[in-house]
Amino acid sequence: NAGVTQTPKFQVLKTGQSMTLQCAQDMNHNSMYWYRQDPGMGLRLIYYSASEGTTDKGEVPNGYNVSRLNKREFSLRLESAAPSQTSVYFCASSEAQAGVGYEQYFGPGTRLTVT
Amino acid sequence: GENVEQHPSTLSVQEGDSAVIKCTYSDSASNYFPWYKQELGKRPQLIIDIRSNVGEKKDQRIAVTLNKTAKHFSLHITETQPEDSAVYFCAAPSGNTGKLIFGQGTTLQVKP
């Protein structure tokens, strides 16, 4: 039982390049999330998927796109990377239900640097 | 939408002292309040959570208290140890899809 896994662990991009961050969970959770973490800013939600086949914007969606490929996998794509997207990216999942909060389980993170 | 404010941003205590971190939230409909601990270079992990039908919850040296009237909740760590040094985040739900809004984080340093 691996929990939440993310690839890659580290990535360096040049401005304008694109890339996709991969996330998978093996806990049969309905909901999945992408966060970015910057010093002093906490964890900010980029996009989330409440269930397979649905995605919605979070607090900071600009410059990102997501795909909920199936119940297990939720990917985050940067189409044209900018230095402001240098950050640590965390994927998370939870067995959230409407109106009921549940623990979110986080992946190990991806450290992205855009030069 | 939900807004979560967390204070202080940094906290330094001597080993054995208590530490208190406070969060306020804006949505009176929120009903679930978790606290996460993040050690340096690692992922956030849940350490304790509370639901709105109780005012306090304890787990060994950590406790969370909730004041729904004032819309704030606090993390209490007693008899602090060096391994408690980490960044702590509070969170509150936004909407009914399970998403959480996190506070800005508190860096706790426990000095031996």
Side-chain angles (χ1 to χ4, degrees):
Chain A
N1 193 340
V4 181
T5 57
Q6 291 181 236
T7 54
K9 285 189 168 60
F10 302 93
Q11 184 70 51
V12 179
L13 291 178
K14 293 188 188 306
T15 297
Q17 288 184 318
S18 62
M19 78 162 295
T20 299
L21 282 65
Q22 306 286 354
C23 174
Q25 52 92 8
D26 61 2
M27 295 174 282
N28 202 35
H29 286 165
N30 288 318
S31 300
M32 298 185 73
Y33 313 86
W34 275 106
Y35 295 92
R36 60 177 290 173
Q37 184 175 31
D38 304 292
M41 303 290 288
L43 293 155
R44 291 184 294 169
L45 184 65
I46 305 170
Y47 270 93
Y48 67 102
S49 172
S51 62
E52 186 178 355
T54 68
T55 60
D56 281 292
K57 295 178 181 178
E59 302 166 85
V60 289
N62 291 345
Y64 306 95
N65 283 301
V66 290
S67 295
R68 183 74 183 266
L69 304 169
N70 48 55
K71 193 171 185 179
R72 290 187 64 248
E73 298 172 287
F74 189 38
S75 62
L76 178 71
R77 182 160 178 83
L78 286 71
E79 289 291 351
S80 179
S84 60
Q85 294 178 305
T86 293
S87 188
V88 179
Y89 291 84
F90 286 100
C91 176
S93 71
S94 80
E95 189 47 66
Q97 298 175 15
V100 180
Y102 273 88
E103 175 179 3
Q104 291 190 11
Y105 295 82
F106 285 81
T110 295
R111 187 173 295 275
L112 174 67
T113 301
V114 183
T115 61
Chain B
E2 179 67 276
N3 184 48
V4 178
E5 297 285 336
Q6 182 173 345
H7 298 281
S9 57
T10 60
L11 181 59
S12 181
V13 300
Q14 288 294 137
E15 183 177 358
D17 287 350
S18 295
V20 181
I21 305 169
K22 183 174 175 178
C23 285
T24 59
Y25 62 97
S26 60
D27 187 350
S28 56
S30 291
N31 58 8
Y32 173 70
F33 306 94
W35 285 93
Y36 286 79
K37 176 183 180 182
Q38 185 180 29
E39 296 176 352
L40 190 62
K42 297 193 175 179
R43 71 191 81 187
Q45 291 191 294
L46 181 77
I47 54 171
I48 195 167
D49 56 14
I50 191 168
R51 299 193 182 275
S52 59
N53 56 345
V54 296
E56 184 176 8
K57 183 177 178 181
K58 289 183 180 178
D59 183 2
Q60 298 182 356
R61 295 188 296 107
I62 61 173
V64 56
T65 57
L66 172 65
N67 183 328
K68 286 217 73 178
T69 303
K71 291 191 282 188
H72 66 71
F73 57 109
S74 299
L75 177 70
H76 304 255
I77 306 174
T78 58
E79 301 172 25
T80 53
Q81 301 167 4
E83 52 264 40
D84 295 329
S85 296
V87 180
Y88 292 82
F89 293 98
C90 64
S94 178
N96 63 356
T97 57
K99 67 177 181 178
L100 296 173
I101 301 300
F102 284 82
Q104 296 88 339
T106 296
T107 301
L108 173 64
Q109 181 188 28
V110 180
K111 293 183 282 189

